[in-house]
Amino acid sequence: MRFKSRDEFLTSAGMFEFSLLLVAMALGWLFSVSPTEHVAATPMATAYGVLAAFPLFLVFLGVEQIPVKPIQKIQETVLQTLGNYLADCNWLELALLASLAGIGEEVLFRGFLMAWVESWGGYGVGLVVSSVAFGAMHAVTWVYTVFACLAGLYFGWLFDATGERNLLPPILCHSLYDFLAFAIIVRDVRKERAAEEENTTEEESADAA
């Protein structure tokens, strides 16, 4: 999807992520499930959420280095669809967008969907169904969909990782991971822009000579 400006991108992306939160609350009301019931800001939950983002981010960095066409296709698609818009944002805007994604998506997929499916299908079914649904929403390419499903399993595990159900760890992990991934995308786009500007300057200098 193409946007006319950075502002339009930020508005559309922010509204989409916020709408997921509204959908989660509406579905929760409809099916008698409270999507935010298990949210507690404890030191342990905060530590789990923050620290858990780094293994996921290291996987992201590692996958970036794999010279395989389907993975390169993901990189090209992300850079083409989001790269320029993200590179035009400041760090506060990137942090806000990452936070909205972490909150909206985790409240919907873990807070509502996983909890609701568990109520009639058990923990394993709830974990798998919510993870597959999460992957389907991120169906950019089939490889990206698989990665997103695996990330969904990871976030689902974090839901109970502290020994008691708490939605804060997956929210923090998801938000921080997205921010770090945004930072890498922005770095790559800005580096590419700098190289293009340098080439243009060299060509103009050569023409002038």
Side-chain angles (χ1 to χ4, degrees), residues 21-186:
L21 179 61
L22 297 180
V23 169
M25 301 307 291
L27 290 173
W29 174 80
L30 186 63
F31 293 98
S32 301
V33 175
S34 175
T36 57
E37 178 183 359
H38 302 288
V39 179
T42 66
M44 181 181 289
T46 302
Y48 265 77
V50 171
L51 294 175
F54 291 99
L56 200 58
F57 181 59
L58 289 176
V59 170
F60 170 80
L61 293 177
V63 167
E64 266 206 330
Q65 307 306 315
I66 301 176
V68 177
K69 272 192 175 181
I71 292 175
Q72 292 175 337
K73 178 65 175 176
I74 295 174
Q75 297 168 345
E76 292 171 5
T77 302
V78 170
L79 289 175
Q80 290 171 4
T81 56
L82 296 177
N84 286 320
Y85 301 117
L86 292 174
D88 289 336
C89 296
N90 60 46
W91 294 110
L92 180 60
E93 290 167 338
L94 292 174
L96 178 60
L97 188 57
S99 297
L100 285 172
I103 294 169
E105 294 178 21
E106 291 310 309
V107 171
L108 176 60
F109 290 103
R110 255 58 65 181
F112 166 72
L113 186 58
M114 184 173 168
W116 176 60
V117 175
E118 273 184 12
S119 67
W120 49 265
Y123 175 79
V125 177
L127 178 62
V128 171
V129 169
S130 61
S131 300
V132 170
F134 180 75
M137 195 192 78
H138 295 80
V140 178
T141 69
W142 72 266
V143 176
Y144 192 83
T145 303
V146 171
F147 285 150
C149 286
L150 294 175
L153 289 171
Y154 187 62
F155 295 140
W157 167 76
L158 273 175
F159 198 9
D160 298 285
T162 62
E164 58 181 9
R165 177 145 291 190
N166 195 336
L167 193 59
L168 186 62
I171 287 176
L172 289 176
C173 177
H174 191 153
S175 299
L176 181 54
Y177 167 77
D178 277 3
F179 178 76
L180 294 172
F182 289 166
I184 295 300
I185 293 169
V186 168

